[in-house]
Amino acid sequence: MRVLQEKFIEKVGGITSIPIDVRVIAATNRDLEGLVVSGSFRKDIFYRLNVIPLHIPPLRSRKRDIVILAELFLKKYSKKFGKDIQGINRNAKVYLLSYNWPGNVRELENAIEYAVNIELGKFINETSLHIIGQNFCSQVSQY
């Protein structure tokens, strides 16, 4: 806390202060203002972190971003794993759009990384995504 306020650090066992110039980016899915009011989150920390608040809606509220992000992650992991996966087939896209994504973008990224790992063909298909989790499978099967 002192580091954020004074912008100096001291090495463990050190005796001199070292000036720093840092920006802190913090993310949460919790209502920090509500937690401050209820006494569950320290007010002083909240005000030090809440300089430029960005409110990004959950992925489930941004359906049009799902396929765009999935394709971005597909390129990333195809390159990383040296695989020649060329895209995501239509049925897999329906699966991706049907899921609620409680883990938001991180969950989507993990799902695509997993699918790239197990996919043997040129396109991610719905069977590559079937293993994402029980909630995913049961929720998607409703559509």
Side-chain angles (χ1 to χ4, degrees):
M1 180 90 117
R2 186 179 314 147
V3 171
L4 293 176
Q5 184 64 35
E6 298 175 14
K7 301 195 185 301
F8 283 93
I9 61 169
E10 289 180 13
K11 292 182 180 179
V12 176
I15 56 171
T16 60
S17 294
I18 302 166
I20 60 167
D21 182 17
V22 298
R23 307 296 182 272
V24 175
I25 298 174
T28 183
N29 62 354
R30 311 283 301 273
D31 173 17
L32 291 184
E33 286 185 81
L35 293 173
V36 167
V37 170
S38 72
S40 301
F41 193 82
R42 287 177 42 181
K43 187 186 292 186
D44 55 340
I45 294 174
F46 174 75
Y47 288 115
R48 281 184 176 80
L49 293 175
N50 196 37
V51 176
I52 302 173
L54 301 173
H55 299 284
I56 300 171
L59 190 55
R60 68 184 158 272
S61 300
R62 301 179 287 129
K63 292 285 188 187
R64 65 183 178 175
D65 292 348
I66 292 172
V67 173
I68 295 167
L69 288 167
E71 290 172 347
L72 176 79
F73 297 139
L74 173 64
K75 288 178 186 172
K76 173 183 176 179
Y77 290 107
S78 292
K79 182 178 180 180
K80 181 177 181 177
F81 301 133
K83 296 187 88 173
D84 185 26
I85 299 179
Q86 298 173 2
I88 303 168
N89 78 15
R90 186 181 185 297
N91 289 341
K93 287 178 183 178
V94 170
Y95 270 47
L96 293 173
L97 292 169
S98 300
Y99 185 55
N100 198 27
W101 300 108
N104 281 309
V105 176
R106 282 179 292 250
E107 184 181 10
L108 174 61
E109 182 173 7
N110 290 343
I112 298 301
E113 180 181 6
Y114 179 86
V116 168
N117 268 299
I118 67 163
E119 185 57 58
L120 300 174
K122 295 282 185 187
F123 291 88
I124 298 295
N125 63 59
E126 63 278 9
T127 58
S128 303
L129 298 167
H130 247 101
I131 314 262
I132 290 173
Q134 195 61 27
N135 291 341
F136 180 82
C137 294
S138 63
Q139 204 169 357
V140 167
S141 66
Q142 297 172 8
Y143 293 91

